[in-house]
Amino acid sequence: MRDVAEHAGVSVRTVSNVVSGYAHVSPSTRERVQRSLDELGYRMDFLAKGLRSGRTGFVALAVPFLAEPYFAELAQAVIHAAARRGITVLVESTAGDREVERRILSGGLTNVADGVLLSALTLPAADVGSAVPDFPLVMLGEHSVGDHLPRVGIDNVAAARTAVAHLVDQGCRRIVALGRNDSENGRQRTEGYRQAMAEAKVRRVNWLVVPVEDWTRAEGYAAVQELLDGDGPLPDGVFAFNDALAVGALRALDASGVRVPDDVAVASIDDIQEAAYTHPPLTSIAPDLDAIAERALDLLERQASPDAEADGPPEPAAVEPTPFRLVVRRSSQFRPAEG
Amino acid sequence: MRDVAEHAGVSVRTVSNVVSGYAHVSPSTRERVQRSLDELGYRMDFLAKGLRSGRTGFVALAVPFLAEPYFAELAQAVIHAAARRGITVLVESTAGDREVERRILSGGLTNVADGVLLSALTLPAADVGSAVPDFPLVMLGEHSVGDHLPRVGIDNVAAARTAVAHLVDQGCRRIVALGRNDSENGRQRTEGYRQAMAEAKVRRVNWLVVPVEDWTRAEGYAAVQELLDGDGPLPDGVFAFNDALAVGALRALDASGVRVPDDVAVASIDDIQEAAYTHPPLTSIAPDLDAIAERALDLLERQASPDAEADGPPEPAAVEPTPFRLVVRRSSQFRPAEG
DNA sequence: CCCGACTCTTGCATCGTTGCAAACGATCAC
DNA sequence: GTGATCGTTTGCAACGATGCAAGAGTCGGG
């Protein structure tokens, strides 16, 4: 910038004014500086700007596994939404490591990013504690890790209930819930399953929740395989906690010659792009990723604004779940044999 | 840092020495400073450090679509490899926008990142020109956009040839190549297809290259649908340029009642995780993503090192393609009716 | 007992940019 | 003609860290 100033015969400060679009710069000066700028191929140093102004224009997004389609699509949505605001996204992959998530929560990314979006998969509430972080933070997906933290996501209980109710509507009675684990998300989706089953007055003996380690295709495959190998009565419906599990389940059912949806109906949550191309196409709950991304960024900006501390607890509207919809495809077109 | 110095009763410089692990600091001082550090919850400012030292510890990775599984998995591999070197990855999504890619090439990320990894999908060679960028840059995937730029990726011609040769081995004769477009990658994979067909002495009349816009599931579906609706003879093999296209193709074949692999064998390139769960499981060429990530980072580091300018053109070894292997699954188990 | 060598600590300048407030020149109203 | 006002430009300091080189203190050898 110093070079540019010299080349244009003005002060460094004036160059800064031109670059940052300050109003009171005479057209002639502006043009002259602009020419020097172009001629010398000047590029602004983000670091210095960030150091001086305290804002970097970065938002960090931490997800457990970027290679999992759901998170990849979420990241894409966030990047897109951020780009429209002139914000660049820094994507971190925590690998589901509790330690990494904790480090992020305790401010490991401050100074690098103006705000942090954390999609914590494994983080137990205990780790979060009740400390409110000293930097803008929004939790994605989890809806009760800590009530004091702003968060964005669908209502997991309602989503699960909707999916299971749909299976019930199709005539399924013996519905397996696939995917319980000790995550908050897992608990909530289990609860949604329970509610739907209770509402439908399905007899308790037909309730079955199958636990898995991770919500991956491999786990879904293994769990269903085991179920089929067992000696219990076969289910007529599978509600997978996410699409990856459902994809694994579909493969296992297919491998064992169980027909979907004729013998077993399948539905799940996430509606990743892959879901429209499975065999058969998968019925799934589609969260509005764009809405999630937009709202998350809104919340970050609100936290960053100076009057943030004035309004104490987050507004009720801020924690209202984002919308979702049920996308019905062939996997759930179950019609039980009459009689 | 000033606060810490005051709290510990030493100078700012000494605190800096402790933080950066300078050798000549007395144990007592070190411990005292360390205690103050912990007590005040000191966190180093990346920006200031970066501004002073000229290195940020960031590497930027630009891919066309993060939501495409192949790129998500590639990003995951890069993030993982970078993490082991203490490097943080900044993931950009260019949305396949030529303008965005060009901006990155002309240095839009300098100062933010120590180096840039660019996976350019659409960028024509003309845009690259022959100008060598003034910052560390490594191209991913593309293998002849500009010979002067270091690049990492598999040999696309060989990969395509291997996949097609495999289909030929299975007895396929009328093999459709699905995915030509005007990208460099597309040209190379088309060339590999041609070579394999020629080597197998397949009659020209059985060669067929179907063009598509993007390498997505939807395009793969549409292309195959159109093919089946046409009045030409049906193929007995499909070589898709990537797994996404293959997934779409499988779905279209299934929807039309064409059996895979009995009627048509399918193979493609990428071996994304999804490939093991399609119907039937998809035979695919698996590039070694970890090797790609490692080598790309190596090349960046070499460019960043001070003696980089000494050794003129990149070493031959640096441009040697990374390894890949053929993963055979059921989709290619074609056995033609005898006679 | 003094001096050099070594260890530990420190002050100053600096990276590239922007906030602040003053300086400058011109225009305007009285 | 003079003071107030406005638009335009500028110098200085600062953001938080590190490179450099010098200062303070300690030890051992001559």
Side-chain angles (χ1 to χ4, degrees):
Chain A
M1 187 176 262
R2 203 195 317 266
D3 300 337
V4 176
E6 223 163 285
H7 185 272
V10 295
S11 76
V12 190
R13 198 62 189 75
T14 300
V15 177
S16 170
N17 284 339
V18 171
V19 172
S20 56
Y22 181 61
H24 299 300
V25 179
S26 74
S28 70
T29 308
R30 165 152 310 184
E31 199 199 340
R32 190 152 40 91
V33 172
Q34 189 61 53
R35 206 160 29 227
S36 300
L37 243 32
D38 297 342
E39 207 163 310
L40 299 183
Y42 169 80
R43 285 192 300 259
M44 163 89 107
D45 186 322
F46 276 73
L47 296 168
K49 187 201 190 81
L51 175 59
R52 191 64 181 97
S53 62
R55 327 203 85 221
T56 59
F58 286 145
V59 160
L61 168 67
V63 296
F65 292 100
L66 193 52
E68 277 299 316
Y70 173 73
F71 293 115
E73 291 177 20
L74 174 64
Q76 176 92 302
V78 171
I79 288 175
H80 187 239
R84 265 178 308 188
R85 303 173 188 224
I87 296 174
T88 303
V89 177
L90 186 69
V91 182
E92 282 266 359
S93 184
T94 63
D97 188 329
R98 198 165 138 179
E99 198 49 52
V100 176
E101 292 183 349
R102 190 150 34 185
R103 198 175 60 221
I104 291 174
L105 261 184
S106 63
L109 292 170
T110 331
N111 290 324
V112 183
D114 296 336
V116 176
L117 302 177
L118 177 60
S119 180
L121 197 62
T122 59
L123 206 66
D127 281 2
V128 180
S130 57
V132 55
D134 58 349
F135 58 93
L137 171 75
V138 171
M139 304 291 295
L140 293 185
E142 295 287 341
H143 251 263
S144 44
V145 161
D147 280 341
H148 57 296
L149 295 179
R151 49 188 184 272
V152 176
I154 62 173
D155 179 336
N156 280 306
V157 178
R161 200 175 53 219
T162 302
V164 175
H166 169 68
L167 289 177
V168 169
D169 281 352
Q170 303 301 305
C172 300
R173 279 302 168 271
R174 216 181 131 64
I175 302 172
V176 171
L178 178 59
R180 188 192 66 192
N181 60 15
D182 55 359
S183 72
E184 191 54 38
N185 245 325
R187 268 189 291 277
Q188 292 175 356
R189 292 182 185 185
T190 303
E191 174 59 21
Y193 165 78
R194 290 220 174 92
Q195 290 185 11
M197 293 297 265
E199 277 167 22
K201 302 203 196 317
V202 174
R203 299 206 331 261
R204 282 271 174 173
V205 70
N206 284 330
W207 295 25
L208 181 57
V209 180
V210 176
V212 299
E213 280 290 310
D214 304 312
W215 291 0
T216 60
R217 300 181 187 85
E219 291 273 331
Y221 184 91
V224 167
Q225 192 63 45
E226 202 169 327
L227 194 68
L228 295 175
D229 287 348
D231 48 7
L234 287 187
D236 59 8
V238 171
F239 163 57
F241 281 14
N242 81 348
D243 283 358
L245 286 169
V247 166
L250 286 177
R251 182 97 291 278
L253 291 169
D254 186 46
S256 296
V258 178
R259 293 169 308 165
V260 177
D262 310 276
D263 301 330
V264 179
V266 177
S268 64
I269 301 182
D270 276 357
D271 192 41
I272 58 180
Q273 290 174 25
E274 182 178 350
Y277 291 87
T278 53
H279 173 76
L282 181 64
T283 290
S284 193
I285 297 279
D288 187 339
L289 294 183
D290 291 325
I292 290 178
E294 289 290 349
R295 180 157 328 158
L297 292 175
D298 283 344
L299 287 179
L300 277 189
E301 276 180 8
R302 184 166 336 163
Q303 281 187 67
S305 76
D307 56 82
E309 47 207 285
D311 57 1
E315 297 178 28
V319 299
E320 185 185 316
T322 50
F324 63 82
R325 62 203 172 78
L326 175 70
V327 179
V328 178
R329 298 202 183 86
R330 199 142 56 77
S331 76
S332 64
Q333 308 298 315
F334 177 74
R335 284 286 174 260
E338 298 296 339
Chain B
M1 187 175 262
R2 204 194 319 268
D3 300 337
V4 175
E6 222 163 287
H7 184 273
V10 294
S11 77
V12 194
R13 199 60 190 74
T14 301
V15 177
S16 170
N17 284 339
V18 171
V19 171
S20 56
Y22 181 61
H24 299 298
V25 179
S26 75
S28 70
T29 309
R30 168 156 312 203
E31 198 199 340
R32 191 152 38 90
V33 173
Q34 190 59 54
R35 209 163 23 229
S36 300
L37 242 33
D38 296 342
E39 209 163 309
L40 299 184
Y42 169 79
R43 287 191 300 260
M44 165 92 108
D45 187 329
F46 275 73
L47 296 168
K49 189 201 189 80
L51 175 58
R52 192 66 180 91
S53 63
R55 327 202 85 221
T56 58
F58 287 148
V59 159
L61 168 67
V63 297
F65 292 99
L66 193 51
E68 277 299 317
Y70 173 72
F71 293 115
E73 293 177 20
L74 175 63
Q76 175 92 302
V78 171
I79 289 175
H80 187 241
R84 265 179 309 188
R85 303 174 188 223
I87 296 174
T88 302
V89 177
L90 186 71
V91 182
E92 282 267 0
S93 184
T94 63
D97 186 330
R98 196 166 138 177
E99 198 48 54
V100 176
E101 293 183 349
R102 191 151 33 185
R103 200 177 58 221
I104 290 174
L105 260 184
S106 64
L109 292 170
T110 331
N111 292 323
V112 184
D114 296 336
V116 177
L117 301 176
L118 178 60
S119 180
L121 197 63
T122 58
L123 206 67
D127 281 1
V128 181
S130 57
V132 55
D134 58 349
F135 58 94
L137 170 75
V138 171
M139 305 292 294
L140 294 185
E142 295 288 343
H143 254 260
S144 44
V145 159
D147 280 341
H148 57 296
L149 295 178
R151 49 187 184 272
V152 176
I154 62 173
D155 178 337
N156 280 307
V157 178
R161 202 175 51 218
T162 302
V164 175
H166 168 70
L167 289 177
V168 169
D169 282 350
Q170 303 300 305
C172 300
R173 280 299 169 273
R174 215 182 134 63
I175 302 171
V176 170
L178 177 61
R180 189 192 65 192
N181 61 14
D182 55 359
S183 72
E184 192 52 40
N185 245 327
R187 266 189 292 277
Q188 292 175 355
R189 294 183 183 183
T190 303
E191 175 58 23
Y193 165 79
R194 292 220 174 92
Q195 289 185 10
M197 294 296 266
E199 278 166 23
K201 301 201 195 320
V202 173
R203 298 203 336 257
R204 284 269 174 175
V205 70
N206 285 328
W207 295 25
L208 182 57
V209 179
V210 176
V212 299
E213 279 292 311
D214 304 312
W215 292 359
T216 60
R217 301 181 187 85
E219 291 274 332
Y221 184 92
V224 167
Q225 192 64 45
E226 201 168 329
L227 195 67
L228 295 176
D229 287 348
D231 48 8
L234 285 188
D236 58 9
V238 172
F239 164 55
F241 281 14
N242 79 348
D243 283 358
L245 286 169
V247 166
L250 287 177
R251 181 99 290 281
L253 291 169
D254 187 46
S256 296
V258 179
R259 292 169 308 165
V260 177
D262 310 278
D263 300 331
V264 179
V266 177
S268 64
I269 300 183
D270 277 356
D271 191 41
I272 59 180
Q273 290 173 24
E274 183 178 349
Y277 292 87
T278 52
H279 174 76
L282 180 63
T283 291
S284 192
I285 296 281
D288 186 340
L289 295 183
D290 291 325
I292 291 178
E294 289 291 348
R295 180 160 324 161
L297 292 175
D298 282 345
L299 287 179
L300 276 190
E301 278 180 8
R302 184 166 334 164
Q303 282 187 65
S305 75
D307 55 83
E309 47 205 283
D311 57 1
E315 298 179 26
V319 298
E320 185 185 315
T322 50
F324 63 82
R325 63 203 170 80
L326 175 70
V327 179
V328 178
R329 298 202 184 84
R330 199 143 56 77
S331 75
S332 64
Q333 309 297 314
F334 176 74
R335 286 286 174 261
E338 299 295 339

